[in-house]
Amino acid sequence: MTLMKHLQASDEFVGFYLIKELEVKQTNATPPKEYFDIVLCDSSGQLPAKLWDASSVDKETFFPMMLVKVQGLVQLYRERPQIKITRIRKAIPEDGVQVSDYIRSAPISPADLIHTIQQVIDSIENSDIKTIVSYCVAKVDDKLAHYPAAKTHHHAYFAGLAYHIVRMLELGEFICKQRPFLNPGLIKAGIILHDIAKPEEMTAQLGIVSEYSIQGKLIGHISMVSNWITEAAIKCDLDPDSNIILALQHMVLSHHNLGEWGSPVQPQLPEAVALHFIDSLDAKLQMVEDTLSATPETEEWTPMIKGLENKAIYRLKI
Amino acid sequence: MTLMKHLQASDEFVGFYLIKELEVKQTNATPPKEYFDIVLCDSSGQLPAKLWDASSVDKETFFPMMLVKVQGLVQLYRERPQIKITRIRKAIPEDGVQVSDYIRSAPISPADLIHTIQQVIDSIENSDIKTIVSYCVAKVDDKLAHYPAAKTHHHAYFAGLAYHIVRMLELGEFICKQRPFLNPGLIKAGIILHDIAKPEEMTAQLGIVSEYSIQGKLIGHISMVSNWITEAAIKCDLDPDSNIILALQHMVLSHHNLGEWGSPVQPQLPEAVALHFIDSLDAKLQMVEDTLSATPETEEWTPMIKGLENKAIYRLKI
Amino acid sequence: MTLMKHLQASDEFVGFYLIKELEVKQTNATPPKEYFDIVLCDSSGQLPAKLWDASSVDKETFFPMMLVKVQGLVQLYRERPQIKITRIRKAIPEDGVQVSDYIRSAPISPADLIHTIQQVIDSIENSDIKTIVSYCVAKVDDKLAHYPAAKTHHHAYFAGLAYHIVRMLELGEFICKQRPFLNPGLIKAGIILHDIAKPEEMTAQLGIVSEYSIQGKLIGHISMVSNWITEAAIKCDLDPDSNIILALQHMVLSHHNLGEWGSPVQPQLPEAVALHFIDSLDAKLQMVEDTLSATPETEEWTPMIKGLENKAIYRLKI
Amino acid sequence: MTLMKHLQASDEFVGFYLIKELEVKQTNATPPKEYFDIVLCDSSGQLPAKLWDASSVDKETFFPMMLVKVQGLVQLYRERPQIKITRIRKAIPEDGVQVSDYIRSAPISPADLIHTIQQVIDSIENSDIKTIVSYCVAKVDDKLAHYPAAKTHHHAYFAGLAYHIVRMLELGEFICKQRPFLNPGLIKAGIILHDIAKPEEMTAQLGIVSEYSIQGKLIGHISMVSNWITEAAIKCDLDPDSNIILALQHMVLSHHNLGEWGSPVQPQLPEAVALHFIDSLDAKLQMVEDTLSATPETEEWTPMIKGLENKAIYRLKI
Amino acid sequence: MTLMKHLQASDEFVGFYLIKELEVKQTNATPPKEYFDIVLCDSSGQLPAKLWDASSVDKETFFPMMLVKVQGLVQLYRERPQIKITRIRKAIPEDGVQVSDYIRSAPISPADLIHTIQQVIDSIENSDIKTIVSYCVAKVDDKLAHYPAAKTHHHAYFAGLAYHIVRMLELGEFICKQRPFLNPGLIKAGIILHDIAKPEEMTAQLGIVSEYSIQGKLIGHISMVSNWITEAAIKCDLDPDSNIILALQHMVLSHHNLGEWGSPVQPQLPEAVALHFIDSLDAKLQMVEDTLSATPETEEWTPMIKGLENKAIYRLKI
Amino acid sequence: MTLMKHLQASDEFVGFYLIKELEVKQTNATPPKEYFDIVLCDSSGQLPAKLWDASSVDKETFFPMMLVKVQGLVQLYRERPQIKITRIRKAIPEDGVQVSDYIRSAPISPADLIHTIQQVIDSIENSDIKTIVSYCVAKVDDKLAHYPAAKTHHHAYFAGLAYHIVRMLELGEFICKQRPFLNPGLIKAGIILHDIAKPEEMTAQLGIVSEYSIQGKLIGHISMVSNWITEAAIKCDLDPDSNIILALQHMVLSHHNLGEWGSPVQPQLPEAVALHFIDSLDAKLQMVEDTLSATPETEEWTPMIKGLENKAIYRLKI
């Protein structure tokens, strides 16, 4: 079965794929006819697809997040490949395919990621910090195991958030060794907490964000974490005005660095400065890596990357 | 006794004033001599002053926030009036002067302001909103009765914060009548809460801010209020994720309108939009009024006003 | 008859509506066929509509700003409702419908708005100010009774400009009572004059702006009013360099506050500061109110509002 | 007699100079003594100077804009030369010196500049344009012959405005030959009118601006010219809404190109685009030339030039 | 034969044109059909065109940059004219038409432009400057004779770059006469070198840029010229650290004036300031001229011009 | 001997220090007297100092970068400590003190830093990259062993540049292990080359930058390195248009990320993105570390740090 990423114009193919998006549209014909405007994906990438002449039965059969067997032809539309679906049916148990095999995922398993994060929490020496971190992690519960870190910018896939945290923890450990004046407990806590409200800021399924929650829009994940830390302190009988709470809230609130990027205060603790730049380095490099891997290798340039000043990345041969 | 505001170059005078600031400095003479660099004020305004040849006794006698009797001469220094102190002594009980008469204050008494605010709280129909507002107001306790609203921008005097709230409440009531689609309870709560953490963000005495607190710098008054609302909800057994908590936190967090002005989210409820513009209108007009009243009437132009794009205001005769 | 605002997907309906826009387009069929791309509206809102297979006769029959009787079906196109017209004819006198019933209008009648504005003019004590204001109002003549205040931003409907002025006058009166240092005559004049050239800046019919005039683009309504005030002074034998003319021109020229928002000078009179913030408060709240009322009540979020930093407004239930 | 520009540290000298600025200040001594803080200038440049121990008689003898004979010594203060005045007296008729020889002036005589401008006005073919230009030029009367073009930015000297206009007219003539699609009459008019209100925007004597006028601050020279054009049209019986008036007002209003640079509209006529860039080219090169000629030739770098992004200019030897 | 620029809705015509762009697309019909989406041009302008029902033979016959004989009909699509092709064939030698007659070109022949540039190089007195300029010009070889100066902004046609250089040289010569403190050799060199790497930054054929080169994107034409000057110095045995090399590299590097416009340093030599403003004046006026000439004379407004703050230009009749 | 960093108000002390800056100034006395305005430093920090009544002999005895023995008293001036020098003499050989002990230095010896850098160069596999890097490093010769990385921002001390490179190389090695898609040779080369022209951009002695060179101002270190790479290629017989040269020049040119920060192009290779963020992380954390270590431990807040949005860093006790 051909991977999405390898499909090229004129290819005819049969295979199992996931319906990531599906919209019923009408042609301009008179009278107009209904067709499906679909996005098909597997773990390697995604392509737009059309099912012309969608019947009433089709409209009650096919939905987003469903696995289907498709026979199709790759055409060029506005210089980009697009699938014309010639046959389609729902996958059945006998097909032996599973949704989890068809979505983009972090390269490390959720279980391993969660295990690593838990180990780091256990290693935090200051018990108050550990208590707050544990409380907040418990709030998102099993969502930490599978949520993406963002809608499109970076780590936008299954377990992307946990993966982002783990890579940052590795980097944070290295930096703390290089610079002993930093407090490792604060660095660890800041990394784990900085985006911990993302699962409540967005609604996601299988690593795909469908929309922002009301809380996400009206409060924002940065202030949500700050509120959670206050909640954690009160619920765990810690002083909400203590220096540790202050430090954790400051790190979370300032981690976007500038007001126009969403931070109401700017970093003023060494660990807050470190957190922002560790986050930037990891997120930006992941954007590059994710975009390159989702771009067919025949393309020299990736699409423009919004988080990198709208620049595209070039595959230079040296 | 001449009011500060009326002192002009060449005036010789005797009177009681408050030492607002006092710094011991040294002349460039060889060897250097010590003198006092002072700011004297009364309720009408303030002027810089010098006490040349300050003795060791003087250094142990005079301090900021002390009432003194001063004999002096007004000189011009860099085209601005400056007092040369010829005699100075501490005020004594027999002088019958009180500090409170020598500071700049809101034009309404603290008791009346607090009474008005309390009445408005009582008039809020929704009991959850009322509970949260009462809790947060109780946190700043008697500080609400005398704190300024800002260090220098606007309402920077005794009871300035309460005065700002009361004028906004009047305006808010008018706007709610003009536009019935607004929720009056939210408007009232938003107005009272929006700057309620200022007394914890700054350290002030007699309406004069000396510095920002650590919390003020690392968290900022906007996020502090958001955290207080979470605290209030938990302590008062309300759901911290309810729509009312969401609305109150959103209004407070968004009331500076833009990220670069310190708001991590932008107004997205009608009442949040109203709150921002009611706050702007009141604060900007108060800046104009305060600056005009602190500028000698012989001056056609006020000093530049930072909060008004660094523009000065002109006294046009028509 | 169903209001536009209540039409939903799958509804079949018959009713009278106004053709707000009409464009003849061609399908991609071979050979292409002509159809009408229409916007139908009534006083509650508007929807896109298609008349497939428009005949030559149709092309000479139907035009924008015409009342028609329509039989149609509501379909979904790109997740938004769109009308498929099945029958259409021009309204005739016997139908008893009038265009004025089918357009969006200010909630107060033009006659009442004009009456209020005239009363305020009469109440201005300074006769020179009154003369200038009357002259400028006379220049736009009966257009003041029906022009919108803007193309899309706010008050974009029949008599929107007069309505904006009247609400601002109410607010201005309140502010002048709250702050007696403001000159009420200047405030009234500034409010009435600030947008008075808008009817010459834009071409509008029934409250719908079709385009900007050449003067509107090359001079702009702000500088037009300034020129009109000079004209008024000369024609009415007032000194064009007097303080009153200066004050009025300054208020108009500075009312957008910043150079990048179109004001060549920034507010430097107390009344100019007041004018800008009164204008902002009224315009922004009206944007919220107008957008909410034009959004079906089944929608939680309004569309994004350009004048509010591209934010949407949320209908929170509390 | 040594030119200001050639005075160097340790030089002792005697000569006639103009007192450009004079302020009475006090030393920090106890009791403080009065001294003069002076700026002395001649046509080649200027230097700060001090007269220590200024007597009461001195204070009634010496004033700005007065010619004096000075004996002095050049010292270094903060690495910059400063004159210590050892003797000073007012110039008397017998000295045979005239103020006009001691101020910085345009390199062409005012009479010649005015003659050139008048010739260009006479050469404008369209009589309406000629009428408007003549009216506005007449308003500033003989001030055109001697006013500077700006306070400090460029052409800040005697007849600087007329000189700026004449150089721009030369450049405009060249551009019109190079690009025949431009209307030479509009270009000429735009160049003469664009800054014609500057003499009313600023108060200047001998080419030195002391302050901005109230009109200059509240209306600004750009809008003042627009108002003058309206006035000219009415007084000369031309239609204030004609295309010619529109074009002239547009060119003046848009010649700063951007809102943040003071233009309420942006250039939308070819001649308006030309006007802005002709103005820029002339003003920026003059800043370079003026600054270089006012910088001692022993200095490799000029001071920073505000109008050139705060960059200094380097004298490169090649 | 009708010029593109004069074709209007409903016109039927036959003529020779150049296929500037050609894309094979599919209709929304079921099954979809293929058609050509074409841009036809001649030297006067260009129009979009459709060839419905393109056959397999057609797909192997017609390509961009090919001359064709077309019979067509002008229709309106979205209020803009669009050609429906009814017959089309390739031009043959017997037709006597040449591609060079159908493209937009500079109004002066390439040979004359190159001749002028060469004469200016010969007139540079300083032999080191002349050597560097000649070396860099030689690098782009015959491309200088036909390359455009930009993709769309200005001088976007055959020999546009050479034309831009020649007009700037004329202007530079005029400015050097007006301001003798400028070094004419540096001005000439700066003008010729400032965009000399554009032919290596972009890929163009017949004056039409199809894309940017890898070097163009990763290094940019400004830094490319700087590197070329270093190369020229080494290859011609000049000191790469000499003042002349420094001056030339500085002028090229700074000619966009600001960092956000692509210049890593800002102009700090008089000739660098002159170069930037000469370039601006010529480029902006050419944008106006090019856009006006490509806009049908029946249109009062040109399209918006990106390089002029997205403003359109108006054809005012006076 | 007391370290600078530990001197507090009222301390009397004797010790050896380095004169970092020395300026002769005059008091305001009549006649004015000369005194020395000095900055004294040792490896722990620096303080301003005054030598009142400097004699002619003193002026010929003491100069910057000289070691002196000082007896002094610490006074407070504008709330900051300042030394009043009571006795001073030059250090003599018998004192056994060396300049290198009195300057701020990187915590690793220059020899070790250079050794590490050389080892990394040796480890670059691609011989062309290695050649270019070696050539450029050789150009700055022994300056690499002792130059600072900046004038004030970060690593502003002896061997600061080499130290910055070495820490970045450690971080780069870690990142390359974490993300195998990055080319380690390019990362190493980019890190070593990115600031390699700084020693030619600035003039420094003992790690203290006194000024920028002409090349530094007119070309800038970023473009200088680009030119050097071209030079290296030609001198070493490599193709200056090869992909490796392109990659190295791109990385250097883009490492400031944005045009307004000095980069003429933005990062478009994965390694260029990595280089920018590795540089940021290291530079920002070093700013924090350097500022903290130069701030007396009795101070809770450091001074504001320009490179961190003008924020100060707080010493939080947890």
Side-chain angles (χ1 to χ4, degrees), chain A residues 5-276:
Chain A
K5 181 175 171 174
H6 296 144
L7 285 177
Q8 293 187 325
S10 309
D11 286 0
E12 298 190 40
F13 68 95
V14 176
F16 290 93
Y17 302 97
L18 181 73
I19 298 179
K20 187 172 169 189
E21 299 171 20
L22 185 157
E23 204 179 342
V24 182
K25 289 187 173 168
Q26 291 177 314
T27 65
N28 286 345
T30 319
K33 296 181 187 170
E34 289 186 320
Y35 67 94
F36 284 176
D37 198 5
I38 288 177
V39 177
L40 286 179
C41 73
D42 60 15
S43 64
S44 77
Q46 63 181 54
L47 281 177
K50 299 278 189 265
L51 177 69
W52 301 109
D53 289 316
S55 68
S56 310
V57 174
D58 289 340
K59 287 168 63 178
E60 285 164 20
T61 307
F62 299 104
F63 295 97
M65 292 298 151
M66 177 182 283
L67 272 184
V68 287
K69 185 171 188 185
V70 169
Q71 174 181 332
L73 164 70
V74 185
Q75 300 177 317
L76 277 188
Y77 181 66
R78 296 180 185 245
E79 299 185 74
R80 307 209 154 270
Q82 173 181 286
I83 293 167
K84 182 185 170 184
I85 298 173
T86 45
R87 296 180 64 186
I88 183 169
R89 72 158 170 82
K90 285 177 65 171
I92 53 177
E94 291 70 23
D95 293 327
V97 292
Q98 303 179 65
V99 168
S100 59
D101 297 334
Y102 286 84
I103 55 172
R104 197 163 175 189
S105 301
I108 302 180
S109 80
D112 288 353
L113 294 170
I114 294 298
H115 180 70
T116 301
I117 293 171
Q118 193 53 54
Q119 276 187 315
V120 171
I121 296 175
D122 294 344
S123 76
I124 297 175
E125 294 185 7
N126 182 299
S127 69
D128 288 357
I129 297 179
K130 195 188 299 189
T131 299
I132 298 290
V133 173
S134 298
Y135 184 95
C136 292
V137 166
K139 268 188 84 85
V140 292
D141 199 40
D142 65 336
K143 286 185 182 172
L144 182 57
H146 61 81
Y147 253 68
K151 192 166 177 184
T152 50
H153 267 42
H154 63 101
H155 299 86
Y157 37 70
F158 195 79
L161 175 57
Y163 183 58
H164 179 39
I165 290 173
V166 166
R167 300 309 288 266
M168 281 177 70
L169 287 170
E170 292 165 13
L171 186 48
E173 188 189 0
F174 174 83
I175 295 291
C176 284
K177 271 186 209 142
Q178 225 189 10
R179 300 186 177 274
F181 78 107
L182 296 171
N183 180 323
L186 283 183
I187 294 284
K188 289 171 187 171
I191 289 171
I192 296 171
L193 292 179
H194 83 293
D195 276 352
I196 199 69
K198 285 231 168 152
E200 301 301 324
E201 189 193 31
M202 314 178 295
T203 306
Q205 202 184 353
L206 295 173
I208 298 163
V209 174
S210 53
E211 58 178 358
Y212 284 84
S213 68
I214 303 302
Q215 278 227 350
K217 286 184 175 173
L218 297 193
I219 306 287
H221 75 277
I222 282 186
S223 298
M224 287 164 75
V225 180
S226 175
N227 293 337
W228 290 7
I229 293 172
T230 292
E231 179 188 319
I234 299 173
K235 292 287 178 75
C236 305
D237 266 330
L238 301 174
D239 174 5
D241 293 327
S242 69
N243 275 0
I244 278 174
I245 302 301
L246 181 63
L248 295 179
Q249 286 181 325
H250 172 68
M251 289 180 77
V252 169
L253 288 169
S254 68
H255 87 268
H256 280 192
N257 200 33
L258 296 181
E260 50 267 49
W261 298 343
S263 273
V265 285
Q266 280 61 62
Q268 294 162 78
L269 294 178
E271 292 78 13
V273 174
L275 177 61
H276 168 69

Side-chain angles (χ1 to χ4, degrees), chain D residues 49 53 100 133 155 194 203 244 263 269:
Chain D
D53 288 316
S100 59
V133 173
H155 299 88
H194 84 292
T203 305
I244 278 174
S263 273
L269 294 178

